[in-house]
Amino acid sequence: MAKRNSGNPNTPERVTGDAPSQLERHQDPGLPPHRPRLADKDPKAANRAEKQVSILFIVSIIGTLVFFIGYFGVDISNDVEALRLQNMLLGLGTAFAMLGIGTGIVHWAKTLMPDHEVVESRKPITKEADRADAERIVGDILDESGIKRRPLIRNTLLGAMVLAPLPAIAIFRDLGPLPGDKLSHTMWDEGVRLTLDPSGTPIRAADVTIGSAVHVIPEGLKEAEHKLEEKAKAVVLLMRLNPEDLDPSEGREDWGYEGIVAYSKICTHVGCPVALYEQQTHHLLCPCHQSTFDLTQECKVIFGPAVRPLPQLPITVNSEGYLVAQSDFHEPVGPSYWERG
Ligand code: FES
């Protein structure tokens, strides 16, 4: 009669008694019996597979080159279309570089590498003989992989693997140099008209209704050199509130016009565009990490990781009723994570 099981997984009866033991019940099923593949039997099929693997590695090499063409060959300083083209080339290049290596190795393993089961018992490496053994095993693995016999695969794999990490190095280059005082100067200056983004139409104060939020760029941006860079620094959000909802601090009383105020759209956390305006609460929200800025308190941070209010652009109206800047921002725009000097 079989022993009764106490139910405790640590008691010995779980693995003793008449019932089959855990080991018996969970035998390693091993690999299915070896079935020779086409490439094992036919040298032509093996050559074909070798070429296919090499083509996949070449696809990876081409992908990396496409990345570099996009990164270094496309001038993005003035053209949004060029920026889109660059993003597409970077994405496609990286995808094909990784995909080519991955699928090439999988195809190589499935068609050409030996698929028999190998068991290696492990023991501490202590003696010279063990080391020599280990070296011999590594040599055997290299022999079995066919990398020595198949120079086409070896050369294309080496090419793909040397090139594939280079895009990462190129991208790290973008982390520097530090901007210095570049973020302290934008296209805004005394008398520069506020215009709609992207049309460039000047904005009359009378056309801005209470509760509205408008995306604004400086007049003349379209003709500027390094247009995209200038836009990234100068873009602002324009809102109109009831003047009594605003409580300007000393020295800022005349930075707005009849409840119309303008703030940098570049989040002071890590620089995403602050694009959401909650009309009822007068909050501006950054969609990236949810920093929230209170418009009634000069865009003070009331929630989220940003530590600095959005810089305010002092504005007024000119003799024709158009909104114009009084000056540039009084502080650097953008993220606060580097030395701002
Ligand atoms: S970039 Fe705006 S909250 Fe992080």
Side-chain angles (χ1 to χ4, degrees), residues 267-272 274 286-291 293 305-306:
C267 182
T268 52
H269 179 219
V270 290
C272 287
V274 177
C286 176
C288 286
H289 314 102
Q290 281 72 54
S291 283
F293 305 88

Side-chain angles (χ1 to χ4, degrees), residues 18 113 171 221 224 230 267 298 317:
D18 298 337
M113 285 189 193
I171 288 172
L221 180 73
E230 291 299 340
C267 182
E298 297 176 342
V317 289

Side-chain angles (χ1 to χ4, degrees), residues 114-129:
D115 60 347
H116 56 84
E117 192 174 22
V118 176
V119 177
E120 185 194 354
S121 50
R122 300 185 68 181
K123 54 184 174 155
I125 296 177
T126 49
K127 291 181 260 160
E128 272 311 307

